[in-house]
Amino acid sequence: MPSAPRTIPITLLAALLLLLAPVIWAGDAPAIFPLDQVQPGMKGEVYTIFQGDTIEKVDLEVIGVMHNALGPKQDIIIVRLLGDEVAKTGVVAGMSGSPVYIDGKLAGALSLKLGSFTREAIGGVTPIENMYDAEKSSPPPRTDGTKSANISAGSSTQAGSALAAHIPFPETFAQQASA
């Protein structure tokens, strides 16, 4: 005669979940590769999509780091992508945001194509530390009752939206500047 299935009391199940929660969610935040440790010649990989919805790993080599390349505290890691697929395509706009890892740790995201007529797939990587710093330095929401103008004036450009989110302008600025 088969035995009846054993049931686990709900309180025991809840206690187990509470005890294991830190282990279960520990992998949510990736380990960060510090920008100050990035050196020319290091190997890494970028995960991107060339076609459809298949994520592909592409090897890369660090060429160097350009400090303040796009402005103050806006560093760029210069990389060379390696492999047959990038030999055909080079670095293209659709790769922007693809995560870049060095030694299994998140170093940043592919963000730039360098050169117009280059034969090599050379790209720029925005360091993850810079992204975290930008998030930390975002101004808090205004509490003085004034509003910021929507600089993009109804357009969907990211630059205008980002500018409006970080720089308070008078409500009439967009009209006066014909933006």
Side-chain angles (χ1 to χ4, degrees):
M1 178 160 141
S3 62
R6 297 182 65 191
T7 58
I8 300 174
I10 194 77
T11 53
L12 179 60
L13 184 59
L16 280 171
L17 283 174
L18 285 173
L19 287 172
L20 293 175
V23 174
I24 294 170
W25 287 288
D28 286 353
I32 303 300
F33 194 91
L35 179 61
D36 62 1
Q37 293 181 17
V38 175
Q39 299 294 321
M42 289 184 140
K43 304 290 185 192
E45 56 271 338
V46 59
Y47 291 89
T48 195
I49 296 174
F50 290 102
Q51 184 176 10
D53 60 358
T54 304
I55 299 171
E56 296 184 42
K57 179 181 113 176
V58 177
D59 293 325
L60 62 83
E61 179 182 5
V62 174
I63 296 172
V65 176
M66 292 177 58
H67 296 285
N68 303 314
L70 302 175
K73 297 182 182 180
Q74 294 183 2
D75 305 324
I76 295 294
I77 303 168
I78 308 300
V79 297
R80 176 182 297 113
L81 303 184
L82 309 168
D84 293 337
E85 195 69 36
V86 292
K88 295 180 220 169
T89 65
V91 177
V92 296
M95 293 178 174
S96 292
S98 297
V100 173
Y101 292 86
I102 298 174
D103 291 339
K105 297 177 183 176
L106 184 61
L110 196 61
S111 58
L112 299 167
K113 172 185 178 171
L114 300 177
S116 296
F117 300 103
T118 59
R119 294 183 57 86
E120 291 183 279
I122 307 292
V125 174
T126 300
I128 189 66
E129 288 180 347
N130 288 12
M131 291 184 234
Y132 282 144
D133 290 345
E135 181 181 56
K136 290 178 198 170
S137 67
S138 294
R142 295 183 67 149
T143 57
D144 61 0
T146 60
K147 296 182 193 174
S148 297
N150 183 356
I151 299 303
S152 61
S155 74
S156 63
T157 61
Q158 291 179 341
S161 298
L163 186 61
H166 293 291
I167 302 173
F169 285 91
E171 285 185 52
T172 58
F173 178 79
Q175 294 167 340
Q176 293 169 348
S178 298

